[in-house]
Amino acid sequence: EFSPPYADVDARVFFHRSITGINDVASMRGFTIGAKDGSACAAWLEERGIKTLRRFPTSDAVVEAARAREVPLFCLDSPTAQYFLSKLNLTEEFRQTAPLYSTRFHWAVTKGQTELRDFVESGFRQVSADELKDIDARWLGSPVPVSIAARYWAYLAFEVPEGAAGLAM
């Protein structure tokens, strides 16, 4: 039993930075594309004629296969891919396409458990917008503030350490 949707999520194809020109389904043809078995991403690509999918049991297995260069491209929802790419220190190694599609996230309980779904949903309705923002901040963290004023960055960019000119020769 599914809840009402609570978040929009984009799905994208991710690819190693050494590969160029991946920007639509036609440009993906001929590449093996990793995807989680049973995922909406795999189904979306198959519906558009992609036959070279390699399925993995979990999302992290998909990203691990891309890291090992077993698949040159992979398809996942953006937050999941970004999480595993960050966890594995691969954010500089991979690029992403524009969103293939957007979907809505739902939470769910076991089929037939409508009373439980309604109970949980009523609890969620009691959480205020400010409380949700606080939960997001604790879960997602806060941006790291830049302690140097923006106007000084140009000076730092052109600063040459003393003695560095002699090292360049």
Side-chain angles (χ1 to χ4, degrees), residues 3-37:
S3 73
Y6 68 89
D8 294 328
V9 179
D10 293 334
R12 299 172 187 261
V13 167
F14 297 80
F15 51 96
H16 191 267
R17 69 181 182 183
S18 64
I19 300 170
T20 59
I22 304 299
N23 52 36
D24 59 12
V25 173
S27 65
M28 297 174 206
R29 293 194 200 295
F31 286 98
T32 300
I33 304 173
K36 184 178 173 188
D37 193 27

Side-chain angles (χ1 to χ4, degrees), residues 3 7 24 38 51 57 59 77 90 96 136 142 147 156-157:
S3 73
D24 59 12
K51 305 284 188 226
S59 297
D77 63 76
L90 297 172
Q96 63 186 359
D136 280 349
S142 302
S147 60
L156 291 171

